[in-house]
Amino acid sequence: MFSSIRLEQALDIVELRDQKINEQSELIDEKQTFGLAMDNLMAVVAEYEGVRVGGLVHLERYEGWAQQTWKDRWDAQEVREDTIRVEETSMALDEALAAAKVNASTNTTGTTMEAVTDSLGMGFANSALDDADTLCGQDVAGCVTSDDPYTAHYDAESDKRPYMNKWLRTGLAHHEYAHVLQFTNPEATEKAVGTFTASATADAPDYEIMADCFALTFLDGWEIEQTVWVSAYEYWEITGYGYTCNASQKQIIRDWYAAIAFIPRTVTQ
C-alpha cells in the first residue's frame, strides 16, 4: 500500500514536470513565431521607405506591440494573439503595396491629373473624375475632402472647359496632391502652414496658398497666373489663389516635403 502511494506520487510529479516542459516548449515556439512575424512586418514596412502619403505605417504602434509582447512573454496564449495581430497587419500592408503598384501603373480616368497624381504619390494617392463641385460644395476644378483624404477629386465638367490643357491639368494635380499630403500628415502640416497664415486672406486660405506654393516649388515653370490661348484671337486668364510664395516659403515647402517621407527604423522590445 505504501509503495503504491509512493508510485502514484512519483507519477504525478513526472506528469507535472512533463506538463511544465510542454508549456515551456509551447511558449518558446510562440515567442519564436512572434519574432518571425515581427521580422516579416518590418520587412514589409521597409518597402514603404520614401512614401510621403501619410497614415499608412504606424511604427509607434508596432513598437507598442513589441513592448506588450515582452510583458506577455510568460503567457503563450497572449503571445499567440500578439502574433496574429502582427501577421494581420503585415498582410494588410502587403495588400496596400500591391494595390499601390497597380494604381501607379494604370490610369482609370484616362486623365493627365491621374497620371501626375499616380507618379507623385507612388500609387498611394487616388484620383477620381466626378462631380467635385457637389462633393466640395463650391465651384472647383478639384478638391480633397477629410472624409476621403487619399483621393483627389477632379471635376468632370471643369475638365471640359476650353482653356483646360495638359499644363493646367499638371499644375492642378500638383495642387490637389499637396492637399492629400496635408490631410494625411496633419502634425507636420500644422507646423508648416503657419508660414502662410500672414499671407492668407478670406478668399485665399493658408492651406490653399500652401498647396499653390507646392506646385510653384516642384513644378518648374508653373505660375499662379496663366494665359491660355484657345484660338488665334481668344484667350483665358487663369489664376490660382492670387498669391505667389516667396523663396523662404518655398524652402518651408521643401523642408516639409522632405520631413514627411517615411523612413523605416528598427523596432525592438
Side-chain angles (χ1 to χ4, degrees):
M1 183 67 177
F2 180 72
S3 297
S4 177
I5 292 174
R6 291 281 300 272
L7 179 59
E8 289 178 2
Q9 290 176 338
L11 290 173
D12 287 343
I13 291 172
V14 171
E15 184 179 354
L16 181 60
R17 183 196 64 190
D18 289 344
Q19 180 180 347
K20 289 183 177 179
I21 290 173
N22 290 335
E23 289 175 353
Q24 287 298 317
S25 178
E26 180 186 8
L27 187 56
I28 290 171
D29 289 344
E30 291 298 341
K31 288 179 180 178
Q32 291 176 339
T33 301
F34 176 81
L36 291 172
M38 185 59 74
D39 288 344
N40 182 61
L41 173 59
M42 290 300 100
V44 176
V45 164
E47 296 190 52
Y48 281 80
E49 184 170 6
V51 174
R52 290 180 167 83
V53 176
L56 302 172
V57 181
H58 305 277
L59 281 176
E60 294 81 4
R61 183 182 303 171
Y62 311 152
E63 288 174 338
W65 292 350
Q67 292 165 5
Q68 182 60 47
T69 301
W70 174 253
K71 296 177 183 178
D72 295 338
R73 66 189 182 279
W74 303 116
D75 189 322
Q77 179 60 34
E78 291 291 339
V79 175
R80 185 177 301 116
E81 292 176 2
D82 295 342
T83 299
I84 292 172
R85 178 170 55 187
V86 170
E87 290 175 339
E88 290 176 345
T89 301
S90 294
M91 186 179 300
L93 288 175
D94 215 15
E95 290 174 352
L97 277 170
K101 290 177 181 178
V102 172
N103 196 32
S105 62
T106 56
N107 190 329
T108 55
T109 65
T111 63
T112 297
M113 291 88 74
E114 181 173 348
V116 173
T117 302
D118 287 346
S119 177
L120 290 171
M122 301 168 64
F124 290 98
N126 302 314
S127 302
L129 187 63
D130 52 20
D131 186 0
D133 287 355
T134 298
L135 183 66
C136 296
Q138 56 183 314
D139 184 12
V140 294
C143 67
V144 179
T145 69
S146 58
D147 292 337
D148 187 12
Y150 294 93
T151 302
H153 294 268
Y154 299 104
D155 190 65
E157 288 303 314
S158 296
D159 192 55
K160 296 175 183 177
R161 291 174 182 169
Y163 55 78
M164 287 300 290
N165 57 29
K166 186 175 182 179
W167 181 237
L168 284 181
R169 292 181 176 105
T170 300
L172 172 62
H174 276 72
H175 179 100
E176 298 308 328
Y177 176 63
H179 284 319
V180 171
L181 297 182
Q182 288 172 338
F183 273 117
T184 60
N185 296 279
E187 293 182 7
T189 300
E190 188 64 26
K191 296 176 183 178
V193 75
T195 307
F196 300 89
T197 301
S199 307
T201 65
D203 294 327
D206 46 11
Y207 281 87
E208 295 295 349
I209 60 176
M210 179 181 172
D212 268 354
C213 192
F214 179 86
L216 288 166
T217 303
F218 291 111
L219 182 57
D220 290 341
W222 183 252
E223 297 178 350
I224 293 299
E225 296 183 356
Q226 306 273 342
T227 299
V228 180
W229 289 87
V230 294
S231 71
Y233 54 87
E234 184 181 5
Y235 64 87
W236 293 74
E237 294 289 351
I238 310 299
T239 63
Y241 281 86
Y243 177 75
T244 298
C245 56
N246 56 42
S248 63
Q249 289 172 324
K250 287 183 179 181
Q251 187 57 51
I252 290 294
I253 290 292
R254 294 188 190 95
D255 293 342
W256 167 73
Y257 193 59
I260 61 177
F262 176 71
I263 302 174
R265 63 173 183 267
T266 302
V267 171
T268 62
Q269 294 178 312

